[in-house]
Amino acid sequence: MRRRCAASAAASVELLIRIANLVFILGLYRFLHRAVALVWKDVRQAAPSESTAAKLIVMEVPDGASVVLGGQENCLAAVGSHIPIGSGKTIGRLNDNDIIILDPFASGHHAEVFKDGNRLFIRDLGSLNTTRVNARKLNKPHRLRSGDVIQIGETRLVFEE
């Protein structure tokens, strides 16, 4: 009789251990599933903004001129550099611009990029030498499209989406 009780108790303990293992594995699986789901969500939210982010590529900077990212970055942008661009970005020679074009033919506040709906536009801010897009003077805001060449003074930038 004792052997039966001992065997029955051992079987019960073994069953409880198996159930505890199963609960632990299910809890671990749930934790990992949630962690992976959160990481995947962050990646999906970050990826579109990076891959579809509009940018200006520094194409040509004449001798003696330079392009500087204003604000907190305040760093020199070499030819070939990609500059993230969005609505409300100002371009010009003065230090309070978002993109500083140190070109003697650039005005203090030369041009501005702004958004209308989901589209980006550029407008001249009354600069002396005007802003050119694809070699044409801007008389009114221009909707930016990939490949547009923007000329501020003698500095040329290419817009890409």
Side-chain angles (χ1 to χ4, degrees), residues 16-155:
L16 285 175
I17 290 173
R18 286 182 184 227
I19 290 172
N21 283 343
L22 183 62
V23 168
F24 174 76
I25 288 171
L26 288 174
L28 183 61
Y29 172 78
R30 185 173 181 196
F31 169 78
L32 290 174
H33 182 267
R34 285 187 177 183
V36 168
L38 284 172
V39 168
W40 182 249
K41 180 181 174 187
D42 286 346
V43 167
R44 281 191 9 227
Q45 287 176 345
S49 63
E50 290 172 8
S51 64
T52 61
K55 59 188 165 276
L56 294 176
I57 300 171
V58 180
M59 185 174 152
E60 182 181 345
V61 180
D63 290 339
S66 58
V67 177
V68 178
L69 301 179
Q72 295 174 330
E73 289 138 14
N74 202 22
C75 64
L76 190 65
V79 172
S81 296
H82 291 217
I83 302 169
I85 191 85
S87 184
K89 296 285 185 175
T90 57
I91 305 169
R93 197 176 61 247
L94 295 177
N95 289 336
D96 62 347
N97 287 290
D98 299 298
I99 300 170
I100 303 163
I101 307 282
L102 298 173
D103 181 321
F105 296 102
S107 294
H109 295 104
H110 200 102
E112 176 186 31
V113 175
F114 67 96
K115 200 171 198 175
D116 185 8
N118 289 330
R119 300 177 298 189
L120 285 174
F121 289 79
I122 188 167
R123 72 174 141 228
D124 186 78
L125 296 176
S127 64
L128 185 61
N129 291 316
T130 71
T131 302
R132 293 179 180 269
V133 176
N134 301 325
R136 290 197 208 45
K137 289 182 180 181
L138 282 187
N139 297 317
K140 60 182 182 177
H142 170 83
R143 180 180 175 219
L144 289 169
R145 293 177 176 84
S146 272
D148 280 348
V149 177
I150 300 163
Q151 186 171 340
I152 307 285
E154 292 183 350
T155 302

